[in-house]
Amino acid sequence: MKLTVDDVRSRFVEHFDGTTGSVYASPGRINLIGEHTDYNGGFVFPGAVTQGVIAEIKPNGTRKVRAYSIDLKDYVEFSLDDEKGPSATHFRFIFGVCREMMKLGVPVEGFNTAFAGDVPLGAGMSSSAALESTYAYALNDLFADNKIDKFTLAKVGQATEHNYIGCNCGIMDQFASVFGKAGSLMRLDCRSLEFKYFPFDPKGYKLVLLNSQVKHDLASSAYNDRRKSCENVVAAMKKHWPNVDSLRDATYDMLDEVRPEVSEEDALRAKYVIGEKYRVLEVCVALEEGDYEEVGKKMYETHYGLSKEYEVSCPELDFLNDVAHSCGVTGSRIMGGGFGGCTINLVSDDLYANFIETAKKAYKEKFGKEPIVIDVVIGDGSRKLC
């Protein structure tokens, strides 16, 4: 994390009463593999990153929260007893966390706070989850004697998105932010919420994101269409196998049997999701064996599936994936929902410099701008800094 405690503390002291409070941090995240699987009851494989959000917080003896966004140079005051809260989205995250913690019986009091982040915006690294997790963790420490368990803190962030932001997100982003562990990725079962840490220490390799700097407008409607395709196939399967509740329960053989009952498009979408279920589990085995070449192979398979079967790629992302392949990069795929954003790349140290140089040059020639390079280091989850 390039952002430091001093970066936040100096602004906190300046904007409030000259005294200091407690400082907390939470990270953004990447997802190595397991895309569009969360709402199908499958597995995801995230890890926390070293970029994140830092906030200084000090109770002020009132029912008011006084919050300053260092990055946006914006200030707000709101009452904890106000039903509506502030209108600016960056402050609604804090308001929502306060209200959700109060629903859990936490006796939240007013506080002064200043916060800043260094999660790259538009990269799909979940800066919002980092912000929510920071305040959920802090309020648990300051007002609840850390009695709220970590899973509940992640759910507080998710509920904030649902109830105050209007985003019906899954649990992965907040989970990764709260539970992150340096040197480890996490396999999360999105149905049972069971999880396991897996070692991620790719000696001789780097993990790097290439941000395409594009976001196509199709994303929300296309997301809903694909979710409906998955539900259509599950409904067809359920007639034959009543215990099938999601594509998590499906196999390729089952899909072949119901193909006459569903559209070709729906079948293709389901094929990707079923394949992704198996790929995540295969990556788990490969990581335990330290086989990063196999991890990379599965990443390319996922990109193919997202591009040709689930059809959530775009020319820019396919181009970056092709460049990675031509440069001998071990693994590369779309990260996130698609239609823009980043590719995530596992590249050997000896090929890294050439890959970055080639990708920048080729992408600029093709699309008129360079991709933004974001080096990734797997870091720790929510914590108190001082």
Side-chain angles (χ1 to χ4, degrees), residues 21 128 142 282 365:
S128 58
L142 290 168
E282 288 160 356
E365 287 176 358

Side-chain angles (χ1 to χ4, degrees), residues 198-210:
F198 285 80
F200 187 76
D201 184 22
K203 288 185 173 63
Y205 298 89
K206 295 185 190 306
L207 202 56
V208 61
L209 305 183
L210 292 184

Side-chain angles (χ1 to χ4, degrees), residues 3-12 23 54 56 70 386:
L3 190 65
T4 67
V5 171
D6 288 342
D7 293 331
V8 175
R9 173 149 284 172
S10 61
R11 300 297 196 286
F12 181 85
V23 182
I54 296 179
E56 184 149 9
I70 295 169
C386 63

Side-chain angles (χ1 to χ4, degrees), residues 44-62:
V44 291
F45 212 76
V49 296
T50 50
Q51 299 98 326
V53 168
I54 296 179
E56 184 149 9
I57 303 172
K58 185 179 182 182
N60 60 26
T62 74

Side-chain angles (χ1 to χ4, degrees), residues 97 132-133 136 152-162 169 174:
V97 168
E132 294 152 1
S133 301
T152 303
L153 294 181
K155 289 176 181 177
V156 162
Q158 183 188 27
T160 295
E161 297 271 2
H162 291 187
C169 65
Q174 293 82 6

